Amino acid sequence: VIRYDAYAGGANENQELETFNYDVTTGKIITLADLFPDTPDHLEKISTIARADLLRKLEQVSGGDVITAMLDAGTASVPENYTNFTFTDTDRKSVV
């Protein structure tokens, strides 16, 4: 994960994240489609899981006051929402 911070004035910086998942044996970038080769609707499945997980976590920390329109837009099953991702060989469910 690469984090870019840029200061344009004011109290807070602008932040951008970029991720790279690289297969060192084949020399190619790994995409989500590579991870789910037999699942043509993989973005829809990931979207459903991400939305449910984020909603549960946001409800916990906000006392149930969650703006679902923002959550729905950010977890919609469109490629732009899932261009940055990482994965490991361990289960990281506890990471927010």
Side-chain angles (χ1 to χ4, degrees), residues 13-72:
E13 73 274 4
N14 297 323
Q15 294 183 350
E16 295 287 331
L17 296 175
E18 191 170 355
T19 62
F20 296 93
N21 298 286
Y22 187 76
D23 185 335
V24 295
T25 58
T26 63
K28 81 172 224 184
I29 299 285
I30 298 171
T31 67
L32 282 175
D34 295 327
L35 296 176
F36 302 96
D38 300 322
T39 311
D41 62 342
H42 65 277
L43 284 183
E44 184 61 39
K45 292 182 184 224
I46 293 168
S47 169
T48 300
I49 293 166
R51 184 178 298 113
D53 188 50
L54 287 169
L55 181 59
R56 180 183 56 78
K57 290 176 182 176
L58 288 171
E59 284 176 339
Q60 287 175 348
V61 299
S62 72
D65 187 22
V66 178
I67 301 171
T68 56
M70 178 182 68
L71 181 64
D72 291 344

